[in-house]
């Protein structure tokens, strides 16, 4: 799906990368790393306090997008919540989108999601933007990769 405003946002922020021709990303034990990265305790506590259950489904991403962003009042809390949101987005993608997997970026050691197309998503960046600004919506990012 080609959504121009998301494409423009991604170009500015580099959240989706083209397949790499150089550099190596490290493969990881998918089930173990998905379990670990999917913990997202801070996000889960925030969601549960508003009645949202994070069950690793696309529906839960939609519910997160609807939360009132009270966390933005605390500039120290927002980046941590953003990291959790990005890791949760990645967990939902890895668990529900065929061919998606976690890899470790060889340049900075960060977990990224590699799609079956070879593109890599910097879910930490996406989560940080979502927590700070509300855009892009987590569910929109999921829907875009799920349709490919």
């Amino acid at each position: 799906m080609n959504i121009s405003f998301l494409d423009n946002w991604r170009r500015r922020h580099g959240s989706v990368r083209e397949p790499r021709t150089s550099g190596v990303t490290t493969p990881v034990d998918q089930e173990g790393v998905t379990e670990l990265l999917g913990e997202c305790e801070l996000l889960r506590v925030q969601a549960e306090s508003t009645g949202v259950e994070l069950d690793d489904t696309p529906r839960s991403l939609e519910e997160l997008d609807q939360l009132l962003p009270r966390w933005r009042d605390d500039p120290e809390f927002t980046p941590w919540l953003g990291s959790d949101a990005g890791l949760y987005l990645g967990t939902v993608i890895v668990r529900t989108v065929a061919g998606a997997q976690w890899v470790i970026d060889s340049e900075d050691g960060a977990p990224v999601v590699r799609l079956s197309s070879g593109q890599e998503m910097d879910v930490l960046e996406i989560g940080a933007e979502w927590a700070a600004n509300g855009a892009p919506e987590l569910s929109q990012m999921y829907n875009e990769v799920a349709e490919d």
Side-chain angles (χ1 to χ4, degrees):
M1 182 171 175
N2 187 5
I3 303 173
S4 61
F5 76 89
L6 285 177
D7 292 339
N8 292 335
W9 183 90
R10 269 195 241 97
R11 275 194 287 280
R12 283 194 314 270
H13 298 286
S15 61
V16 176
R17 307 171 187 164
E18 293 301 316
R20 293 182 183 208
T21 56
S22 64
V24 177
T25 50
T26 306
V28 295
D29 165 37
Q30 291 302 304
E31 189 54 39
V33 78
T34 300
E35 191 70 29
L36 178 66
L37 296 178
E39 287 182 6
C40 309
E41 185 175 347
L42 191 60
L43 181 67
R44 289 183 188 278
V45 168
Q46 183 75 30
E48 287 173 10
S49 72
T50 62
V52 173
E53 179 187 355
L54 300 185
D55 57 1
D56 299 347
T57 63
R59 180 188 49 77
S60 64
L61 295 172
E62 293 171 4
E63 291 177 6
L64 283 174
D65 288 335
Q66 301 304 312
L67 293 179
L68 291 176
R70 292 187 176 105
W71 60 82
R72 291 188 192 138
D73 295 337
D74 184 349
E76 291 182 24
F77 184 76
T78 301
W80 293 102
L81 187 72
S83 292
D84 271 13
L87 293 173
Y88 184 71
L89 170 64
T91 298
V92 174
I93 291 169
V94 167
R95 291 198 171 166
T96 61
V97 175
Q101 61 181 336
W102 287 108
V103 293
I104 304 301
D105 189 311
S106 62
E107 293 175 15
D108 63 7
V112 296
V113 173
R114 180 179 291 154
L115 305 172
S116 61
S117 66
Q119 287 185 318
E120 294 178 352
M121 293 183 69
D122 185 345
V123 292
L124 293 176
E125 176 66 26
I126 294 167
E129 288 292 322
W130 174 83
N133 305 313
E137 289 184 339
L138 300 174
S139 60
Q140 283 181 313
M141 296 303 294
Y142 174 84
N143 289 336
E144 186 169 310
V145 301
E147 288 181 5
D148 286 342

